[in-house]
Amino acid sequence: MNAFAYRNGSLHAEDVDLATLADDVGTPFYCYSTSALTHNFARFRDALPKGALIAYAVKANGNLAVLNTLAQAGAGADVVSGGELKKALAAGIPASRIVFSGVGKTRAEMKAALEAGIHQFNVEGEPELEALNDVAASLNTHAPVAIRVNPDVSPDTHAKISTGGAETKFGVPWKRARDVYALAAKLPAIEIAGIATHIGSQISDLAAFETAFTRLIELAKDLRGQGHAVSRIDFGGGLGVDYSGDAPPDVQAYAHIVSRLTQGLEAQLIFEPGRAIAADAGVLVSRVLYVKQGESRNFLVLDAGMNDLLRPALYDAHHEIVAVADAGSARAVYDIVGPVCETADLFARNCDMPLLKSGDLVAILKTGAYGAAMASAYNMRAIAPEVLVKGAQWAIVRPRINEDELVGYDRLSPWQS
Ligand code: LLP
């Protein structure tokens, strides 16, 4: 499905004209489609074995209204901080559907999660296991735990988002998994519930998942043989998105692998997709500030920058950029850049686009995941607002955090005032 399509020559989000929205909200802004979110969630729900817990990775897009949309569709949440836990709960995701991942959980975060009664902690090492045991014991409760193991699979993705190799900070090494389960079994306030993995993000090679999941399931069976109650298997997230127009990674094929590998295995299956649910449900709309001639290049200088969308600068990520007004047949080739004072503030090179002028609008596509979530106020730039569309309705679901508000967070020290 494509929730962002041209109507009467102007790009719409569902039934809302992005040009009208830009006039009302101001640019740059993120715009999300309710139907795309629910459609993407339903694709997972319908393809995966019945009863699976789809714990949406909040880090991809943690906007309250986005989370609420997914909660209503039946999503759980994968959270990695006390802040994400608060957001997920506030959005109406039941604690019983929340999984807590992350390599550096604090004791305060553990306490909050235990008090909320979350489904499970995905524990990434022995020291964390011991800390969690202490915290749970002090609350007179038990912490349901899956140990995150590292299947030693290095999928073909950007090095900065690959997590499944043997020596990363994530999870426990494959070879040491049995020892960690033995420790967990000895800790009185730890309740072994399952096993977990997550091999990385933006993975389109389904064979990498298949290898990792095969190993994970073998290990789960082995641990069961040793008497551990491994009744949940958490496969993590990571299914990629088609950013460049290649064949999209296929949810059906992914689900098929899972179904085949888990056949006859009595276990609750857990998944943590983020990007595959949120990415193509969002666009970043920006206005052209200047069209500037270089020696041999034309630069489109946008009012959105790397502070609004970091992925191109950080991962050399490609996002298609289109003109909001599908006007005329004249075309030009542009390097599309932001206003931030860094050479890295470059969204795309050599883009063949309709001829644009100052004041025209562009949309940067598939930015619903890891877009607003990774935004900052670098260069003292306002944080872009977020808009949710549903049919012909739209609402600002996060107002712009403006420069006055940002200035207001700073204080002079006592000796300066
Ligand atoms: N579960 C865990 C434990 C994770 O660490 C992640 C992502 C996910 C699930 C969700 O993965 P997804 O389905 O979204 O691929 N900022 C980067 C992506 C970082 C992903 C970090 N972990 C980007 O913009 O590409």
Side-chain angles (χ1 to χ4, degrees):
M1 91 163 287
N2 193 357
F4 298 92
Y6 288 94
R7 289 192 199 170
N8 309 321
S10 187
L11 189 63
H12 282 55
E14 303 191 21
D15 301 330
V16 177
D17 187 347
L18 288 174
T20 313
L21 209 47
D23 288 339
D24 286 345
V25 176
T27 54
F29 67 94
Y30 279 96
C31 178
Y32 310 130
S33 153
T34 300
S35 69
L37 288 167
T38 50
H39 170 85
N40 290 345
F41 180 78
R43 269 192 322 166
F44 273 91
R45 191 194 51 214
D46 298 345
L48 290 169
K50 269 214 159 45
L53 170 59
I54 304 171
Y56 165 71
V58 171
K59 65 168 80 65
N61 184 328
N63 184 283
L64 196 66
V66 168
L67 295 181
N68 180 265
T69 302
L70 295 171
Q72 289 189 24
D78 168 51
V79 302
V80 292
S81 68
E84 286 192 353
L85 174 64
K86 271 191 187 162
K87 268 272 193 83
L89 292 169
I93 297 177
S96 60
R97 292 176 159 273
I98 295 180
V99 171
F100 195 165
S101 300
V103 76
K105 304 174 191 76
T106 66
R107 286 172 184 250
E109 289 173 327
M110 291 171 178
K111 181 166 181 277
L114 284 166
E115 283 171 348
I118 65 161
H119 188 55
Q120 90 187 18
F121 291 84
N122 288 353
V123 169
E124 306 223 6
E126 287 108 318
E128 181 191 337
L129 200 52
E130 283 165 350
L132 182 58
N133 180 62
D134 286 355
V135 178
S138 74
L139 294 173
N140 260 324
T141 187
H142 289 87
V145 156
I147 306 293
R148 173 169 172 183
V149 292
N150 223 319
D152 194 8
V153 171
S154 296
D156 183 20
T157 187
H158 194 284
K160 284 187 182 157
I161 52 176
S162 174
T163 57
E167 200 73 283
T168 75
K169 70 173 182 176
F170 299 103
V172 303
W174 196 246
K175 293 187 181 124
R176 300 207 25 255
R178 289 172 185 80
D179 295 344
V180 180
Y181 273 89
L183 170 67
K186 280 193 210 127
L187 296 171
I190 295 293
E191 175 198 319
I192 295 175
I195 191 164
T197 197
H198 170 74
I199 59 172
S201 197
Q202 184 51 16
I203 298 168
S204 53
D205 171 18
L206 293 178
F209 285 118
E210 177 150 11
T211 309
F213 295 173
T214 304
R215 288 188 186 170
L216 190 70
I217 291 163
E218 269 168 26
L219 182 56
K221 288 181 180 162
D222 195 53
L223 291 164
R224 283 179 175 184
Q226 292 176 12
H228 298 300
V230 179
S231 64
R232 304 174 187 167
I233 305 191
D234 183 337
F235 296 94
L239 191 65
V241 152
D242 173 26
Y243 286 112
S244 49
D246 306 333
D250 180 358
V251 177
Q252 296 276 352
Y254 170 89
H256 186 70
I257 290 172
V258 171
S259 303
R260 183 158 44 75
L261 296 178
T262 56
Q263 198 130 49
L265 189 78
E266 291 276 305
Q268 181 193 35
L269 309 184
I270 304 176
F271 300 87
E272 303 168 359
R275 187 191 315 267
I277 287 177
D280 73 3
V283 298
L284 174 59
V285 179
S286 175
R287 221 176 262 287
V288 176
L289 291 174
Y290 303 107
V291 184
K292 175 177 148 165
Q293 216 112 55
E295 210 170 81
S296 58
R297 298 178 170 278
N298 291 318
F299 292 98
L300 273 191
V301 184
L302 303 184
D303 67 359
M306 64 188 281
N307 68 300
D308 302 299
L309 175 67
L310 186 59
R311 303 195 68 255
L314 191 57
Y315 313 118
D316 295 318
H318 168 77
H319 287 270
E320 192 184 343
I321 304 178
V322 298
V324 168
D326 188 17
S329 55
R331 300 189 71 85
V333 174
Y334 300 108
D335 280 9
I336 304 180
V337 302
V340 170
C341 297
E342 293 230 15
T343 308
D345 189 20
L346 170 91
F347 290 121
R349 270 194 192 284
N350 297 322
C351 272
D352 182 10
M353 313 247 319
L355 193 66
L356 292 168
K357 59 181 187 317
S358 169
D360 286 345
L361 292 166
V362 298
I364 310 183
L365 305 184
K366 298 186 185 173
T367 47
Y370 306 110
M374 294 174 74
S376 76
Y378 185 41
N379 276 207
M380 259 305 282
R381 288 166 47 77
I383 306 259
E386 294 168 75
V387 173
L388 182 67
V389 166
K390 184 178 187 191
Q393 305 174 79
W394 63 270
I396 294 178
V397 292
R398 178 172 187 162
R400 188 182 308 281
I401 301 178
N402 68 32
E403 295 83 349
D404 289 332
E405 289 164 307
L406 290 170
V407 171
Y409 276 111
D410 286 9
R411 299 281 181 277
L412 290 174
S413 62
W415 62 88
Q416 290 170 307
S417 43

